Amino acid sequence: MNLPVALIATLDTKGPEVAYLRDRLADLDVPSVVIDTGILGEPVGITPDVSHSDLARFGGITLEQLQHAGTRGDAVGLMRQFVIDYVAQLWARGEIAGGIAVGGVGVVMGAAALHTLPIGVPKIVIAPTASGRHEFGPYVGTTDVLVMHSVIDILGLNAIATTVFDNAAAAMAGMLQHGHALPAPKSASKCVGMTMLGNTTTAVGAAKDRLAELGYEGVVFHSSGVGGRSMEQLAEAGHLIGVIDYTTNEIVDHLTGGIHDAGPDRLRRVGRAGVPQVVLPACVDFSVFAADAIPERHRDRPLYEHNPEYTLMRTSADEMAQVGAIFAERLNESTAAVRVIVPTEGLSIPSTPDGVFWDPDADARFLDAVRNDLRPDIEVETVPLHSNDPALGRLAADAFHALYTKEQQS
């Protein structure tokens, strides 16, 4: 018998629609476990397999206590954690094969639960808010969620709604039949995580080619606020033997409010996991903002139009010093070998002698802070190259090979 998929929604408002999707899945021989994350109302047009009362009890409280937990946000936060833990438990017990979350704003509870499922396990979010200028982080997290825009609000079964649900069911059935989860790391695997943006494509491409010559496989992550965190999670899970963290701009956006914010733990987790790493500060000289969203207080700074959607804002001298201190503090937590390489001829494409971001004094503030605060046993090498120079990429790959070989021999 096929394992079921978790089907998660607030059934007081989405009951008939979820019942339709459940039945369409069943038509395709995909059973489901329907989980109600509604808080106030009772299910409409459907009987869940796991009720909202069941989830509250699973979380150690009654439904009434949940309903009177404080603000609506407090109650949603609790229910979100309950369904996260419940779905994680179902997966750990081998009782589900995937999941679908359906809803409007409330879909973030089900989506968060889907994030607990490993890469390759089918997961779909269906929502009217998966569109326009809404943030996709709550839907996707750092994993491979398939997001479907429902086009219309999820309220009623008309030709548009049923078409979307039919296709979602077909997608789930197809992934279950033809897809697969990410295999466990092989002992002979020599995958090295790398971070890259458009500003470092040439150099990271050269590093990847050089790694291949040395017998490694470079796995490149887009350093856009999610990519760095995804790389760190896979390193923790044992899928990467090491990291060349070439493009570390995500720590800057957390400081300035840019959109490539990877949170407060970026640059900590690889080292804490005991994974060797070579780290460069490429692109720490800017933050990324939507083209029309540069804060008023920063509009006198040097700006660079990366494309019609994104504008880059130069990191100030004081912020460069802060970033250097953060860089050192977090790398100091490493339990495996670390090597830092700092290019001195520009940290991004606009940072050249005739470029709008050229500011050697500000960049020196970063380097001074790193040298002052970094552990004495962590080597800092400066090289007279630009961050996007392929020679620097090859040098980083060679440095990783030397670092990893020494680790293996010790």
Side-chain angles (χ1 to χ4, degrees), residues 263-398:
D265 288 330
R266 181 69 174 90
L267 216 61
R268 298 184 194 274
R269 297 166 60 184
V270 170
R272 286 176 176 173
V275 176
Q277 55 185 328
V278 171
V279 186
L280 294 88
C283 300
V284 301
D285 60 338
F286 65 73
S287 305
V288 182
F289 289 88
D292 58 353
I294 300 291
E296 187 67 38
R297 67 185 183 279
H298 294 325
R299 290 187 180 175
D300 60 342
R301 294 198 193 191
L303 302 175
Y304 180 82
E305 184 179 326
H306 182 65
N307 60 40
E309 296 297 323
Y310 299 130
T311 296
L312 312 184
M313 180 185 79
R314 203 347 168 151
T315 313
S316 72
D318 287 344
E319 287 167 349
M320 290 296 286
Q322 283 182 273
V323 172
I326 291 168
F327 208 82
E329 174 200 351
R330 297 180 185 180
L331 293 181
N332 283 344
E333 299 176 10
S334 300
T335 59
V338 182
R339 183 172 172 183
V340 176
I341 301 174
V342 180
T344 59
E345 300 306 304
L347 298 175
S348 63
I349 286 176
S351 182
T352 58
D354 58 350
V356 67
F357 284 177
W358 182 248
D359 191 343
D361 292 338
D363 293 349
R365 294 280 300 279
F366 168 85
L367 181 58
D368 288 344
V370 171
R371 283 175 164 160
N372 289 337
D373 297 345
L374 201 61
R375 282 182 356 216
D377 62 299
I378 298 178
E379 180 184 352
V380 180
E381 178 184 3
T382 58
V383 291
L385 293 170
H386 187 270
S387 61
N388 200 31
D389 191 321
L392 183 63
R394 290 190 290 270
L395 188 152
D398 287 336

Side-chain angles (χ1 to χ4, degrees), residues 5 103 142 175 255 277 319 336:
V5 298
T142 57
M175 286 189 284
L255 189 67
Q277 55 185 328
E319 287 167 349

Side-chain angles (χ1 to χ4, degrees), residues 222-240:
H222 196 67
S223 190
S224 59
V226 176
R229 288 187 293 140
S230 298
M231 180 186 72
E232 290 171 335
Q233 288 178 3
L234 288 167
E236 289 174 328
H239 289 281
L240 305 174

Side-chain angles (χ1 to χ4, degrees), residues 23 47 63 69 78 121 148 154 177 183 201-202 217 230-231 269 277 280 314 346 367 375 384 392 400:
D23 294 345
T47 300
L63 179 61
L78 285 170
V121 174
M148 295 187 68
I154 299 174
Q177 183 174 358
T201 299
T202 301
E217 180 181 359
S230 298
M231 180 186 72
R269 297 166 60 184
Q277 55 185 328
L280 294 88
R314 203 347 168 151
L367 181 58
R375 282 182 356 216
L392 183 63
F400 175 80

